[in-house]
Amino acid sequence: MLKISFSETPAEERWILAGRLGGAWVRELRASWKKNHQTGKERACIVDLKEVTFIDKTGEKLLRALRSEGAQFISGGCYVRHIVEQLKVRRKRKIPNLLASFLVVFLLVVFDATGTRGQNTTVLGSVPSGPASDALVQLTLRDAIKMALSYNLGAIESGQNAQIARGQRLLALSNLLPQLSAGASENVQQVNLGTFGLNGLKIGIPIVVGPFAYSSVDASVSQTLFSYESIQRFRAARTAEQASQLSYQDILDVVTLTVGNAYLRIIEADSRIKAQEAQVQNARALYDRAADQVEAGTAPRIDATRTAVQVHTEEYNLSIARNNFAVAKLALGRAIGLPLGQQFELADTLPYSDITPLSVDDALEIAFKSRGDFRSALDSQKAAAQTLSARKGERYPTVAVNGSYGDMGPTFGNSHGDFTFQAGIRVPLFTGGRIKGDITQAEAELRQRKAESENIRGQIDQDVRTALLNLNAAKEQVEVAKQNVELANESLARSKDRFTSGVSDSVEVVQAEQALASANDQYITSLYNHNFAKLSLARALGVARSSYSEYLGGR
């Protein structure tokens, strides 16, 4: 609903708008503008937007057109003021700037597609945990997070990456340990001496010897006594395994944040349904009252028509809210690995609860000690330094020994033992630049790991400070929004009384209903923002998986 008031003087024309600028009301304002606005006269054109509560995309487009015709806007709230400022910025842009912006966005999307989008896809995906049951599952936040830690795709892949790192450590260790093998064989052989050039011998030995048989059993062992390269490679693999384990712990924190956010989204969507159902009931009651007054001849028919439009608008918004609720449930089920098609409902409501945030210094100290991604980055840097040391160790000599012992004869009862033993040292003298190339590559990788760890340090600082700011702002928004809902309910009650008494028409009541809807929407959003800010703070501190219940509650 949009109320349009127009007045003019020789010096100016003034438009006062109140309500929601969207949908059919945009066409209504455009028609009224064309009818009353006079472009030929040199006078001020003022458009007062202080009472406007919502502007959709078509409304923004119309305001941009009015501005191009010389309209000057007066805005009140932060929301409308932001839109007006955006209109000013867009008007000043040149076509080359728009083209450059498009190219920048396009390149960012293309080059970021394999990174961020891939990671988000793994955290939002899962492996379904089995067939669905007919029972309606009561899903608590604790159950959702516990299931996600087992079936979320990001957690599974990160856990397997840790296993891969463990396998690489075992391979590196094997180069430092003795290699022992044993075997037994039964042999039947025939030899043609002619193939060796012995067919001209006149000593009575036949050219073809055999067939003859013999048995053997043997064991061999080899050991690298000293290899600086192998020692450093093992140390690097061991540190890389620790980094992989820390990265896995960090992914579990990210999964907890993702699942907690999805859970909060469902609670938010359910609250919007309840608020919108109340709006539908209010709109229907107003329509029934207006219809009765029209039938009694005490109100014009336009009141019934206007309230009927409001009923359909609220029913439309209710349909959107219900659809958003269903989609939010699908997103949660997808993230935690629920069986396909499993029906569930939330068992936790997570009501508003305030917490006492830490100081910035204390929070940063905890984050630097607890964040798995930062500790993993430090270990990756250490592993890169050890790899560089291993590459330099390729120039050092290696010392190794090996030996074998066997027993061989026509039969094991008529056999004789034999053995070999070898010890040696090997020194690389010329490798054609291979070692130099390995060292250069390792140095570059070490610089990369150092830069990544410092970047994560800065990211943690930003995450912690942002989370604390958002938490404080969300707390203030909850308090303001709650007061706004109380005032909107009071205003609606008075507007209904005035309409029933015949003092005002249905416009005032419809506007009061829209104000209440906006206040409820702000309150629901503020509650979600507050809960998500608490969960984001836990993630920023690196304690989301272990301490989420202390920040959000739940069973």
Side-chain angles (χ1 to χ4, degrees):
M1 179 66 184
L2 181 70
K3 184 177 181 180
I4 304 173
S5 302
F6 172 73
S7 61
E8 60 179 338
T9 65
E12 71 171 22
E13 62 180 68
R14 179 175 292 270
W15 300 75
I16 301 178
L17 308 181
R20 300 168 65 91
L21 180 54
W25 299 107
V26 175
R27 295 191 295 271
E28 182 72 20
L29 176 59
R30 182 184 292 110
S32 180
W33 177 271
K34 290 181 178 180
K35 179 180 179 181
N36 297 294
H37 178 62
Q38 299 182 13
T39 57
K41 294 186 177 181
E42 295 183 357
R43 60 179 181 179
C45 179
I46 308 299
V47 180
D48 190 340
L49 304 175
K50 290 186 291 185
E51 299 298 326
V52 173
T53 59
F54 174 76
I55 303 175
D56 65 6
K57 294 298 181 183
T58 57
E60 291 183 24
K61 186 180 296 185
L62 177 59
L63 293 180
R64 192 175 297 110
L66 300 186
R67 180 178 177 80
S68 65
E69 296 184 19
Q72 302 175 16
F73 299 118
I74 301 177
S75 55
C78 296
Y79 168 69
V80 177
R81 189 181 303 114
H82 172 72
I83 292 179
V84 172
E85 292 298 324
Q86 289 296 108
L87 296 178
K88 295 179 181 178
V89 172
R90 291 179 181 178
R91 188 169 180 248
K92 292 179 180 179
R93 282 188 176 179
K94 304 297 182 181
I95 292 179
N97 292 338
L98 292 174
L99 179 59
S101 299
F102 171 78
L103 291 176
V104 170
V105 172
F106 175 78
L107 291 175
L108 287 174
V109 169
V110 170
F111 288 106
D112 194 51
T114 59
T116 304
R117 187 173 62 184
Q119 181 179 1
N120 290 340
T121 301
T122 58
V123 174
L124 296 177
S126 65
V127 177
S129 56
S133 63
D134 296 332
L136 182 65
V137 176
Q138 299 292 323
L139 189 65
T140 65
L141 178 60
R142 183 181 300 275
D143 292 338
I145 293 178
K146 182 179 179 180
M147 180 174 288
L149 297 182
S150 299
Y151 297 104
N152 184 272
L153 184 58
I156 292 174
E157 290 189 350
S158 183
Q160 295 308 308
N161 288 337
Q163 290 298 312
I164 292 173
R166 181 175 184 271
Q168 292 172 343
R169 176 184 63 82
L170 294 176
L171 288 175
L173 177 62
S174 68
N175 294 326
L176 301 174
L177 298 178
Q179 305 295 309
L180 178 65
S181 62
S185 64
E186 183 71 27
N187 303 277
V188 178
Q189 190 172 357
Q190 178 175 286
V191 180
N192 184 0
L193 298 178
T195 59
F196 300 100
L198 302 177
N199 53 351
L201 296 177
K202 305 297 184 180
I203 57 176
I205 299 176
I207 296 177
V208 178
V209 179
F212 57 91
Y214 64 93
S215 303
S216 68
V217 59
D218 65 273
S220 63
V221 61
S222 62
Q223 169 72 60
T224 300
L225 297 180
F226 176 78
S227 173
Y228 186 77
E229 176 191 359
S230 297
I231 293 173
Q232 290 301 104
R233 286 189 182 278
F234 166 69
R235 291 173 176 172
R238 182 176 59 189
T239 307
E241 181 189 10
Q242 296 171 355
S244 184
Q245 288 288 348
L246 290 170
S247 179
Y248 173 60
Q249 298 300 321
D250 181 68
I251 286 296
L252 296 185
D253 250 25
V254 176
V255 170
T256 301
L257 176 66
T258 302
V259 173
N261 180 46
Y263 203 96
L264 293 174
R265 284 292 186 186
I266 297 177
I267 295 176
E268 178 193 25
D270 183 58
S271 299
R272 293 189 187 281
I273 289 177
K274 294 176 180 177
Q276 194 57 43
E277 287 175 344
Q279 288 296 116
V280 171
Q281 293 177 359
N282 287 336
R284 287 175 178 171
L286 179 62
Y287 170 74
D288 292 340
R289 191 175 304 172
D292 292 341
Q293 291 181 352
V294 169
E295 185 176 355
T298 58
R301 181 166 296 277
I302 186 62
D303 281 349
T305 303
R306 187 183 295 117
T307 54
V309 170
Q310 186 65 19
V311 169
H312 290 111
T313 300
E314 300 300 345
E315 290 176 344
Y316 175 82
N317 293 334
L318 178 60
S319 176
I320 294 176
R322 287 172 174 168
N323 181 72
N324 292 339
F325 175 73
V327 171
K329 290 181 67 177
L330 290 176
L332 176 61
R334 184 78 178 90
I336 67 177
L338 274 178
L340 302 181
Q342 177 65 56
Q343 298 299 314
F344 71 94
E345 63 181 20
L346 302 190
D348 293 334
T349 57
L350 304 180
Y352 174 80
S353 61
D354 193 16
I355 62 173
T356 303
L358 302 170
S359 66
V360 175
D361 293 337
D362 292 341
L364 288 174
E365 182 179 359
I366 293 174
F368 287 134
K369 291 181 180 179
S370 303
R371 282 282 289 261
D373 52 350
F374 181 60
R375 296 166 62 197
S376 175
L378 293 179
D379 278 350
S380 296
Q381 178 182 332
K382 181 180 178 181
Q386 291 167 335
T387 300
L388 174 60
S389 181
R391 298 288 174 83
K392 293 179 179 179
E394 294 178 13
R395 292 196 175 105
Y396 300 163
T398 59
V399 180
V401 297
N402 62 78
S404 64
Y405 180 84
D407 193 42
M408 183 182 301
T411 64
F412 287 116
N414 186 18
S415 62
H416 193 276
D418 62 77
F419 68 89
T420 61
F421 177 79
Q422 182 181 10
I425 182 170
R426 183 171 295 274
V427 181
L429 298 178
F430 178 73
T431 60
R434 176 182 59 82
I435 297 178
K436 177 62 176 177
D438 289 344
I439 293 175
T440 302
Q441 180 180 350
E443 288 174 342
E445 291 175 352
L446 176 58
R447 288 191 291 268
Q448 287 179 339
R449 300 295 88 79
K450 287 182 178 179
E452 289 171 358
S453 62
E454 289 304 312
N455 174 65
I456 294 178
R457 184 192 299 273
Q459 185 63 51
I460 290 176
D461 183 88
Q462 178 185 350
D463 290 346
V464 169
R465 295 179 187 275
T466 301
L468 291 173
L469 289 174
N470 288 341
L471 180 60
N472 292 330
K475 179 181 178 180
E476 295 175 357
Q477 291 166 8
V478 169
E479 296 174 354
V480 173
K482 184 177 181 180
Q483 296 175 0
N484 197 23
V485 170
E486 295 174 354
L487 293 175
N489 277 311
E490 181 181 350
S491 176
L492 177 60
R494 292 181 178 180
S495 297
K496 287 180 178 179
D497 292 340
R498 287 166 56 85
F499 177 70
T500 303
S501 303
V503 178
S504 64
D505 57 11
S506 61
V507 174
E508 181 179 334
V509 182
V510 170
Q511 290 178 346
E513 288 181 344
Q514 292 175 345
L516 177 60
S518 177
N520 283 328
D521 183 76
Q522 292 175 353
Y523 183 60
I524 294 171
T525 301
S526 66
L527 289 177
Y528 163 78
N529 289 339
H530 185 262
N531 277 329
F532 184 68
K534 292 189 293 183
L535 188 60
S536 297
L537 177 59
R539 160 57 187 160
L541 297 177
V543 296
R545 183 174 66 90
S546 59
S547 305
Y548 67 88
S549 59
E550 299 177 11
Y551 287 83
L552 290 181
R555 289 176 283 177

